[in-house]
Amino acid sequence: MFKGLKSTLAESRDLGRLLTTDPEERPIVFYAEDTFTYVQYEGYVSSLLAAGRKIGYVTSAAHDPLLADPPSGLQPFYVDKQLPRLFEKLDSKVLAITMPDLGQFQVPVPPVETTAYVFHSLNSTHTAYRTGAFDHYDAFLCTGPHHVAELRALRSQRGLPEPELFEVGYYKLDRIIRDHAAYTKKWPTDTTVLVAPSWGRGNILEAHGAEVVSALRAEGFRVIVRPHPQFFHSLYPEGEGIVAGLERQFGEDPLVVIEKSIDTEDSFHEADVMVSDWSGAAYEYALGTLRPVAFIETPQKIFNDEWQEIGLGSFERDLRSQVGQIVEPAAVGRLVADLVHRTTEWRDELEAIRRQVVFNIGKAAEVGAEVLGALAERKR
């Protein structure tokens, strides 16, 4: 009870402090739903601060490390349950946000000059998100040509004006590329396979988890199972029980690791091959490490029933056969063994694909910061 009261008081204090701060002291505000969101923002934030920009950072995570130890020039604020109230009154120049569905549910569209959407996945906007999820944003920091084409088509379909579409790239991918080049394997003599599913009905852990892990172990691989964070949240209430079942079945096997935290990306760099379904993590892995993915065939995760009406394919369907191979669960062990022997063959092909489908490889942070800075300086 006292912990909850302390959190409520901290939130009320920070909300008041933010709303009474001169907007000129926080022309750009970033909003983070959780501590993981900073992985998407870090490069843009660092580049903006290096250029002398003033930034506000709103987080809904009470224990976000940035609240206790922010970089110089960044003002952090904790706002969670009172987020709708904040967004009703926020008067900054720019709000940078990774949260879709703004204005569709309880969180209103804020009266800022520009609401800029920062992508947290390479997946398509018209398949992996709800109908209308991107109706209320003014600008988008697009990761690649597919996002530009999709957003133009989506807004046209819905009779809305075209937003500002900036060719930025994907900072999280740049970070994976950078960190992978410097990574030293912890288990250099083992072949490691990372199982990284999407969440929701029919994902590989729900439908085939034990079968997939058993097939990989039968080939002698070290296996890291990395559930999506939503496995431990209310949006997917079955998730925690699925993970607990795998822990009971494989808990005595020292070569099976259930990785519940995504605080680091070491498992990306450690793995020789990934096994996935429709998760956006598959493309971050393949294009970041230049290693292939084995895709278990499951129904595609579609949140927009009208997606085919815009006449475009989906990034995650079109790319999966280019960055790996599709396989039935029973055959995944044999396919992964084959992929491991041919990982060097994939490198050049994956690097070429990366250049085609993602803007500004290695430069997204600088480009995105320039975009946000220019939006903040613009006179209306």
Side-chain angles (χ1 to χ4, degrees):
M1 181 178 71
F2 292 109
K3 182 179 180 182
L5 177 60
K6 183 178 179 182
S7 178
T8 301
L9 291 173
E11 179 175 5
S12 296
R13 178 200 65 209
D14 278 16
L15 176 63
R17 188 164 56 90
L18 173 56
L19 292 177
T20 55
T21 299
D22 185 342
E24 295 299 322
E25 295 298 312
R26 45 162 175 81
I28 302 172
V29 170
F30 287 81
Y31 170 64
E33 295 178 78
D34 49 40
T35 57
F36 310 123
T37 305
Y38 192 61
V39 173
Q40 308 290 345
Y41 290 149
E42 183 182 27
Y44 308 123
V45 168
S46 297
S47 294
L48 286 165
L49 292 176
R53 301 281 184 179
K54 296 177 180 179
I55 296 173
Y57 193 91
V58 178
T59 175
S60 289
H63 301 291
D64 194 314
L66 286 176
L67 292 170
D69 187 23
S72 178
L74 184 144
Q75 295 187 71
F77 306 90
Y78 167 59
V79 183
D80 184 14
K81 293 182 174 59
Q82 298 189 64
L83 190 67
R85 184 181 171 196
L86 169 62
F87 275 29
E88 285 174 354
K89 300 181 177 182
L90 186 63
D91 55 355
S92 293
K93 292 277 191 177
V94 178
L95 171 66
I97 185 169
T98 62
M99 183 176 69
D101 294 305
L102 194 64
Q104 294 223 104
F105 299 104
Q106 74 274 19
V107 181
V109 179
V112 297
E113 291 187 5
T114 304
T115 302
Y117 188 83
V118 180
F119 282 95
H120 63 272
S121 171
L122 292 167
N123 281 2
S124 282
T125 56
H126 61 307
T127 53
Y129 301 87
R130 298 178 185 89
T131 304
F134 299 105
D135 285 1
H136 299 296
Y137 303 84
D138 306 301
F140 292 84
L141 276 60
C142 297
T143 68
H146 62 294
H147 280 160
V148 173
E150 291 163 8
L151 287 163
R152 280 181 177 148
L154 276 172
R155 296 286 279 253
S156 175
Q157 178 198 50
R158 297 180 60 75
L160 298 170
E162 183 176 310
E164 294 184 279
L165 302 171
F166 295 99
E167 298 182 359
V168 171
Y170 192 34
Y171 167 70
K172 185 180 178 185
L173 180 65
D174 289 346
R175 174 175 166 156
I176 291 170
I177 294 168
R178 179 197 68 201
D179 292 351
H180 189 67
Y183 185 80
T184 300
K185 289 194 72 167
K186 297 175 183 176
W187 300 295
T189 60
D190 291 345
T191 297
T192 300
V193 181
L194 174 62
V195 181
S198 59
W199 64 276
R201 298 291 184 186
N203 71 77
I204 53 176
L205 291 191
E206 179 180 279
H208 309 290
E211 181 181 8
V212 166
V213 175
S214 296
L216 295 171
R217 285 295 297 116
E219 296 289 336
F221 301 137
R222 174 183 292 275
V223 179
I224 301 173
V225 179
R226 185 180 168 102
H228 190 283
Q230 290 294 354
F231 269 71
F232 309 102
H233 291 281
S234 58
L235 282 176
Y236 184 42
E238 299 85 359
E240 202 158 359
I242 292 167
V243 174
L246 291 173
E247 288 178 317
R248 287 192 297 272
Q249 184 164 350
F250 298 101
E252 300 300 317
D253 188 337
L255 293 182
V256 176
V257 177
I258 310 293
E259 188 174 81
K260 294 183 182 180
S261 170
I262 62 169
D263 287 345
T264 77
E265 288 158 351
D266 285 3
S267 57
F268 267 50
H269 309 302
E270 193 69 31
D272 298 282
V273 172
M274 177 187 278
V275 175
S276 191
D277 42 29
W278 296 97
S279 174
Y283 307 99
E284 295 170 3
Y285 172 82
L287 302 179
T289 70
L290 304 180
R291 293 170 175 172
V293 178
F295 291 97
I296 303 293
E297 187 59 272
T298 62
Q300 185 172 357
K301 187 169 68 173
I302 301 289
F303 286 103
N304 181 356
D305 293 335
E306 303 169 9
W307 75 276
Q308 291 176 305
E309 294 179 15
I310 72 169
L312 296 173
S314 71
F315 179 90
E316 54 270 32
R317 176 172 287 281
D318 297 343
L319 261 288
R320 64 196 326 229
S321 61
Q322 298 181 48
V323 303
Q325 291 182 241
I326 302 167
V327 64
E328 294 296 326
V332 67
R334 295 191 297 276
L335 174 64
V336 168
D338 179 62
L339 292 175
V340 167
H341 289 303
R342 295 189 295 112
T343 51
T344 54
E345 298 174 21
W346 286 89
R347 185 174 183 86
D348 289 345
E349 184 174 350
L350 289 170
E351 191 168 18
I353 292 169
R354 183 169 75 188
R355 290 194 298 270
Q356 294 169 12
V357 301
V358 182
F359 296 130
N360 300 313
I361 295 296
K363 300 177 181 178
E366 293 81 1
V367 175
E370 287 179 9
V371 167
L372 293 172
L375 291 173
E377 289 182 350
R378 185 165 58 182
K379 303 297 183 184
R380 291 270 185 168

